[in-house]
Amino acid sequence: MPLTEEWVWTPDPDNPELWIYTNRESYSAGDAVTFHGSCSLPPAEGSSSASAVVTITRDSLEPEQVYASEPFDVACHEAPEQCYATGCGWPVCFTLDAIPQGWASGFYIVRCEASAEQGGAVAAVAEHFFVVRPSEPPTRSELLLVLSTNTWTSYNAWGGANAYRGLLPP
């Protein structure tokens, strides 16, 4: 069944949403991580953007928060037509200059919280992830982390389409 235009996301200031993604899915120590985002929160008076912070937690038996950003601005951007196929192309809203050498390899959860003003109540939340690869690939490992990214992408209809329900008309 083909999807209709109603499936395409457009900002709705009455129902604030926050979306964030990184430029890649995996990194090594020393790599910069750029975050792209959009937030439909109405900005504070005199501002054109919402205020957001990012925390990064290494997911493990005992999750450990390894990073918390200073506040940064995230503006509202519409999702372009066919973003499901070509990506959103939103501008960079925040950059982590380098993955620290001390971060262990593994799965990291990114949590972004936005408010209409710096230090205000959290009004929108988004989560994302990335993987940190070992600096030196082991010759043998007893563990393997398999990401189901292609499956998630196939079932995800954000932006108007997915591999199972069809595409929007061109």
Side-chain angles (χ1 to χ4, degrees):
M1 171 177 136
L3 297 180
T4 63
E5 292 292 331
E6 66 196 41
W7 283 74
V8 176
W9 178 79
T10 54
D12 178 0
D14 293 329
N15 297 301
E17 292 184 276
L18 172 64
W19 301 95
I20 194 160
Y21 62 93
T22 54
N23 60 321
R24 296 193 331 236
E25 293 172 352
S26 69
Y27 302 89
S28 294
D31 289 344
V33 182
T34 57
F35 295 83
H36 305 259
S38 179
C39 184
S40 64
L41 260 175
E45 188 173 322
S47 176
S48 61
S49 304
S51 178
V53 292
V54 161
T55 57
I56 302 173
T57 301
R58 182 172 186 273
D59 193 24
S60 64
L61 183 58
E62 294 182 29
E64 175 188 6
Q65 183 177 314
V66 296
Y67 182 82
S69 75
E70 293 294 322
F72 59 90
D73 292 336
V74 60
C76 186
H77 307 283
E78 289 200 25
E81 279 189 44
Q82 299 189 351
C83 61
Y84 59 85
T86 59
C88 290
W90 291 334
V92 173
C93 59
F94 173 71
T95 301
L96 174 62
D97 293 328
I99 298 285
Q101 293 293 329
W103 285 15
S105 63
F107 187 86
Y108 286 76
I109 300 168
V110 175
R111 181 177 173 90
C112 187
E113 298 178 346
S115 60
E117 56 190 59
Q118 188 169 338
V122 173
V125 175
E127 289 190 343
H128 185 62
F129 76 89
F130 60 81
V131 171
V132 172
R133 298 183 306 269
S135 296
E136 295 292 324
T139 55
R140 182 173 183 268
S141 179
E142 295 187 21
L143 295 175
L144 173 67
L145 175 61
V146 177
L147 298 178
S148 300
T149 310
N150 290 336
T151 301
W152 299 331
T153 301
S154 293
Y155 281 101
N156 179 3
W158 194 93
N162 69 35
Y164 297 96
R165 301 223 23 218
L167 303 177
L168 289 173

